[in-house]
Amino acid sequence: MGHLLEIKGLRVEYRSDESIVKAVNGVSFSLDKGTVIGLVGETGAGKTTTALGIMRLLPAMTGRITGGEIMFKGEDLLKKPPGDMRAVRGAMISMIFQDPMTSLNPVVSVGDQIRESLEIHSVDSRSGSAMDAKVDELLELVNIPSRRKKEYPHQFSGGMRQRVGIAMALACEPELLIADEPTTALDVTIQAQVLELMRGLKDKLETSMIMITHDLGVVAEICDRVAIMYAGEVVEQGSVRDIFESERHHPYTEGLFGAIPSLAAASRRLAPIDGLMPDPTDLPIGCKFAERCKYREAVCGHTAPGADAEGHAIACHRFAGKRHGAD
Amino acid sequence: MALIELVNLKKYFKVGSGYLHAVDGVSLKIDEGRTMGVVGESGCGKSTLGRLSLRLIEASAGEVLCRGEDILKFDARRMRELRREMQIIFQDPFSSLDPRMAVFDIISEPLVEYKACKNRKTLEETVIGLMETVGLAENYINAYPHEMDGGRRQRVGIARALALKPKFIVCDEPVSALDVSIQAQILNLLMDLQDAMGMAYMFITHDLSVVKHISTEIAVMYLGQCVETAATEELFQNPLHPYTRALLSAIPEPRIGKNRGKVIRGEVSDPIDPAPGCRFAPRCDFSSAACGGDIRLEEQRGGHFVACRLYQTK
Ligand SMILES: Nc1ncnc2c1ncn2[C@@H]1O[C@H](COP(=O)(O)OP(=O)(O)OP(=O)(O)O)[C@@H](O)[C@H]1O
Ligand SMILES: Nc1ncnc2c1ncn2[C@@H]1O[C@H](COP(=O)(O)OP(=O)(O)OP(=O)(O)O)[C@@H](O)[C@H]1O
Ligand SMILES: [Mg+2]
Ligand SMILES: [Mg+2]
């Protein structure tokens, strides 16, 4: 059986008068029904851009998909006319945005907004009071007392707005849910509840999810597969076991795990990866991580390492078995 | 004398269905060179507490003492003087920085407002010096916020906050939006700056492993109230309040197959006109009739305070 979603060689650029930002540079991964893939990586790595590309919601003036395919249920989303795409977003794919204010209207009460998204998305038409009950239920699911539904977004705390966004996305019962940092503003207890809700969707409705997060604890808890992104590329992907328990890792992944603040650590100082991500308007020709890599060799400076999109794949010259040569 | 002391501070918001008790009688002390970590459930009043301590919003009741003086009684002129010494760093550097201003203008704005530099030349030198302090390359001086990634934007916000050499900085989730590596860089930076300049931080976060690294003291909030406060080591080794315990056991670890502690269940907490007594009781495994009574923070041992009837002496 084919994958529910298969992304092949996706490329996205942002153009302005002065420069071209190469935000996504040949990303490939796939997702099966009822499974969750985690997208992890440094800020600016292109995670949100990849998600917006799948949704075809890139900023119209500047964002452009310059290559690749996004196969969803056997059809290339990139070939769909805008009207059909709107229908796909309504009925089959929904997204929880990184900035909750993107999906919230400041002048409409929270309850009315959830109701609207129910009305737009639900196939069956419910009666008014059934709608009200559903709105209350969704709010309580994300731990917000339903009597607060008449309040406006500015009266909610940051994490409460994020939870409203989650409630709205869940209301649609999508086949594919793209969640962009859905729990960054939430404390651990509410985070645990949200993850439980998501797991429920996955188990009961076989919802598939792309979970964008920098919280490796969340990844360990909910993801089946993980793709680690760096400078617009997937540098390593594999099952959650491969990522958390294998000995072999991309040097960037190694650094990422080393930087996690640990509850057990005695020292207060943390160990960030030295250096900064390359300028996306002027990317190096070889491996994009080479400049910061402690294992760098001559080949890294001029040849970009390649990798598969299946199994445990590492785009690094150190792992010769996976080497593909220049692309 | 504590640099900052909050005394029975309250903030009630009028909403359609009554009064929302966002902050409800919080008392805390923060000394120079120390970091008070403030943790708690989303919506429990952390950001409101931070803004109250800087008087960015007006309190409903209580006092905010700065070196013993109640700043809530200051007139506009004294408040303006005090603002130089008190700053805030926000979670989302993107929405807190003006998108139409370049880095130079963002960082220099407070310096210009308080006429802190004699001339254009010293202003430029000061801005470049601040950029160096926070680890921003000089060639970003004319960049706009949207052209930078989250880590660099947060550095701009920190440079701006440092411009007037403040004594007290409220950090409201300054690293929550950043990946672990950039987060580590920013936390190290904040600790180095504190070592060098001795300012006090109120560090608001929901991430307990972050708070463990950066704080010297921790206050745990639940629905507008402080339910437990202690030195960091003590709180992690010996958490007392059932909510604190639940919080600590729910931390997800970056390992697979590790089940987190059980999720807190029970009635959804509502901060609008809350009933008297312990606000965590409806979700607490240890609750009893006694929890409906008056429960205050009581000292258990040196500097470790908890508000729970399990530990009440009388
Ligand atoms: N609208 C835009 N115009 C120009 N450049 C952009 C725009 N949006 C994003 N970028 C740039 O594209 C690159 C990828 O950004 P993206 O937001 O996809 O990263 P991300 O991995 O989601 O990061 P974060 O963890 O900070 O959310 C970055 O260099 C970013 O500065
Ligand atoms: N302007 C306002 N009007 C009405 N209610 C408000 C206002 N600002 C905050 N509140 C309410 O006060 C309570 C505390 O909000 P606050 O933003 O301080 O929470 P928080 O602890 O910072 O939460 P988070 O972790 O989600 O950021 C919430 O119930 C919120 O809805
Ligand atoms: Mg993003
Ligand atoms: Mg807040």
Side-chain angles (χ1 to χ4, degrees):
Chain A
M1 203 192 87
H3 302 293
L4 177 81
L5 177 74
E6 189 169 3
I7 297 177
K8 294 186 205 159
L10 184 67
R11 292 181 179 273
V12 184
E13 295 176 356
Y14 293 105
R15 287 165 195 240
S16 69
D17 296 342
E18 307 95 65
S19 61
I20 298 178
V21 174
K22 298 205 181 260
V24 175
N25 306 303
V27 160
S28 303
F29 62 83
S30 57
L31 183 62
D32 292 324
K33 198 169 167 62
T35 65
V36 180
I37 186 166
L39 281 191
V40 180
E42 194 147 321
T43 122
K47 304 178 298 288
T48 300
T49 305
T50 303
L52 293 176
I54 299 170
M55 295 290 282
R56 298 258 310 266
L57 286 176
L58 289 162
M61 300 301 287
T62 52
R64 189 163 313 167
I65 294 176
T66 54
E69 286 174 11
I70 300 175
M71 304 300 292
F72 179 69
K73 298 172 91 170
E75 282 186 280
D76 189 352
L77 294 184
L78 297 181
K79 300 217 171 80
K80 282 199 180 287
D84 292 4
M85 200 52 217
R86 216 168 297 129
V88 169
R89 279 197 298 267
M92 290 181 268
I93 309 183
S94 58
M95 178 155 171
I96 301 171
F97 291 92
Q98 185 166 14
D99 173 8
M101 288 314 273
T102 332
S103 48
L104 293 177
N105 182 338
V107 298
V108 177
S109 78
V110 167
D112 285 349
Q113 298 197 43
I114 297 180
R115 206 190 152 97
E116 266 171 37
S117 80
L118 277 172
E119 280 164 0
I120 297 170
H121 295 282
S122 68
V123 251
D124 60 318
S125 46
R126 290 173 222 252
S127 70
S129 62
M131 270 302 192
D132 282 340
K134 185 74 187 163
V135 170
D136 289 4
E137 183 197 320
L138 283 164
L139 277 171
E140 303 270 346
L141 270 180
V142 292
N143 231 339
I144 295 174
S146 53
R147 67 194 278 219
R148 300 194 64 180
K149 68 184 167 195
K150 299 225 165 58
E151 290 173 33
Y152 292 85
H154 77 270
Q155 295 175 301
F156 275 21
S157 76
M160 290 166 71
R161 286 180 211 147
Q162 193 168 37
R163 283 180 272 156
V164 173
I166 294 170
M168 279 165 45
L170 298 186
C172 315
E173 300 188 347
E175 283 178 61
L176 172 63
L177 176 64
I178 304 178
D180 194 356
E181 305 277 8
T183 62
T184 35
L186 303 180
D187 61 282
V188 288
T189 59
I190 293 189
Q191 182 189 77
Q193 253 167 302
V194 166
L195 292 181
E196 205 175 70
L197 273 176
M198 294 189 167
R199 215 175 299 119
L201 281 185
K202 171 183 157 181
D203 295 343
K204 283 192 219 99
L205 304 176
E206 288 206 283
T207 308
S208 309
M209 291 177 227
I210 298 177
M211 179 68 113
I212 300 175
T213 178
H214 58 257
D215 189 331
L216 292 159
V218 169
V219 171
E221 200 165 327
I222 193 159
C223 295
D224 303 295
R225 265 184 90 73
V226 186
I228 313 260
M229 288 186 69
Y230 187 80
E233 294 174 352
V234 174
V235 294
E236 175 167 354
Q237 63 176 303
S239 70
V240 50
R241 278 234 121 78
D242 294 333
I243 301 299
F244 284 83
E245 285 172 358
S246 163
E247 299 283 303
R248 291 151 51 97
H249 285 301
H250 192 279
Y252 174 67
T253 313
E254 231 173 72
L256 208 57
F257 274 85
I260 303 172
S262 147
L263 283 171
S267 128
R268 282 184 79 198
R269 268 200 96 72
L270 299 155
I273 305 170
D274 285 333
L276 295 168
M277 198 150 71
D279 181 351
T281 62
D282 183 21
L283 290 169
I285 43 169
C287 168
K288 300 186 174 52
F289 187 65
E291 206 188 314
R292 302 169 74 180
C293 183
K294 59 181 174 198
Y295 308 105
R296 181 183 46 232
E297 290 168 30
V299 59
C300 309
H302 53 77
T303 307
D308 300 334
E310 308 280 336
H312 185 195
I314 304 172
C316 175
H317 293 299
R318 290 180 74 210
F319 303 100
K322 302 276 174 194
R323 189 187 296 181
H324 280 217
D327 65 30
Chain B
M1 186 187 301
L3 177 68
I4 296 290
E5 182 171 357
L6 313 181
V7 186
N8 205 14
L9 200 56
K10 293 184 184 176
K11 177 71 188 180
Y12 294 174
F13 291 104
K14 177 94 187 76
V15 294
S17 46
Y19 282 94
L20 189 147
H21 295 215
V23 170
D24 207 0
V26 171
S27 301
L28 287 178
K29 280 186 193 164
I30 310 175
D31 287 323
E32 242 165 80
R34 311 290 286 181
T35 300
M36 171 65 76
V38 177
V39 299
E41 199 159 73
S42 162
C44 72
K46 303 179 295 294
S47 298
T48 306
L49 185 74
R51 275 179 266 167
L52 283 174
S53 333
L54 300 178
R55 205 179 160 189
L56 296 175
I57 50 174
E58 292 297 328
S60 307
E63 293 170 11
V64 177
L65 307 178
C66 179
R67 298 188 196 91
E69 278 189 284
D70 186 2
I71 70 166
L72 302 185
K73 299 208 172 74
F74 281 15
D75 60 16
R77 189 189 56 79
R78 287 201 72 187
M79 214 41 230
R80 188 183 137 79
E81 266 315 298
L82 186 72
R83 291 230 180 279
R84 299 182 69 131
E85 298 188 284
M86 299 178 135
Q87 292 293 331
I88 185 160
I89 302 169
F90 292 99
Q91 166 172 0
D92 179 6
F94 203 55
S95 51
S96 58
L97 300 178
D98 187 335
R100 289 156 306 181
M101 281 165 78
V103 169
F104 178 82
D105 303 309
I106 295 171
I107 301 177
S108 65
E109 193 179 47
L111 293 165
V112 173
E113 195 189 327
Y114 283 92
K115 300 190 176 61
C117 296
K118 286 194 301 288
N119 51 42
R120 179 81 192 179
K121 188 158 171 295
T122 39
L123 181 68
E124 268 167 30
E125 281 165 9
T126 313
V127 169
I128 290 168
L130 285 161
M131 289 176 68
E132 203 178 299
T133 309
V134 300
L136 259 184
E138 204 185 312
N139 61 338
Y140 280 97
I141 196 156
N142 293 317
Y144 287 87
H146 74 267
E147 295 169 348
M148 285 178 282
D149 58 61
R152 290 200 179 91
R153 283 199 293 258
Q154 194 54 286
R155 284 172 202 265
V156 175
I158 295 173
R160 178 189 161 96
L162 291 176
L164 295 164
K165 300 199 173 65
K167 283 276 174 285
F168 176 51
I169 304 183
V170 172
C171 308
D172 192 353
E173 311 254 15
V175 296
S176 305
L178 305 175
D179 64 275
V180 285
S181 177
I182 307 281
Q183 171 178 311
Q185 292 176 0
I186 298 287
L187 292 176
N188 284 344
L189 171 65
L190 288 171
M191 290 190 272
D192 291 344
L193 291 169
Q194 188 175 47
D195 289 345
M197 306 183 196
M199 70 279 254
Y201 295 134
M202 177 189 279
F203 196 97
I204 298 170
T205 179
H206 58 266
D207 187 332
L208 290 151
S209 31
V210 164
V211 90
K212 186 168 184 217
H213 276 272
I214 196 151
S215 310
T216 47
E217 283 82 29
I218 294 179
V220 181
M221 286 183 72
Y222 189 81
L223 226 57
Q225 298 177 327
C226 175
V227 295
E228 182 162 3
T229 171
T232 303
E233 278 301 302
E234 164 71 11
L235 190 97
F236 275 88
Q237 266 165 28
N238 197 11
L240 297 175
H241 199 283
Y243 174 65
T244 311
R245 292 186 181 193
L247 207 56
L248 294 183
S249 72
I251 302 174
E253 282 191 44
R255 281 194 280 142
I256 45 175
K258 172 168 181 309
N259 280 329
R260 45 167 126 196
K262 68 183 173 56
V263 176
I264 306 177
R265 307 213 173 261
E267 194 183 307
V268 182
S269 336
D270 187 350
I272 302 172
D273 299 322
C278 173
R279 294 182 184 171
F280 185 62
R283 300 165 80 189
C284 182
D285 288 342
F286 306 95
S287 66
S288 72
C291 301
D294 193 21
I295 290 157
R296 302 165 181 282
L297 273 180
E298 268 188 26
E299 188 161 11
Q300 294 303 309
R301 67 188 86 189
H304 191 159
F305 292 82
V306 64
C308 174
R309 64 118 202 130
L310 292 175
Y311 306 97
Q312 240 159 9
T313 43
K314 47 174 193 340

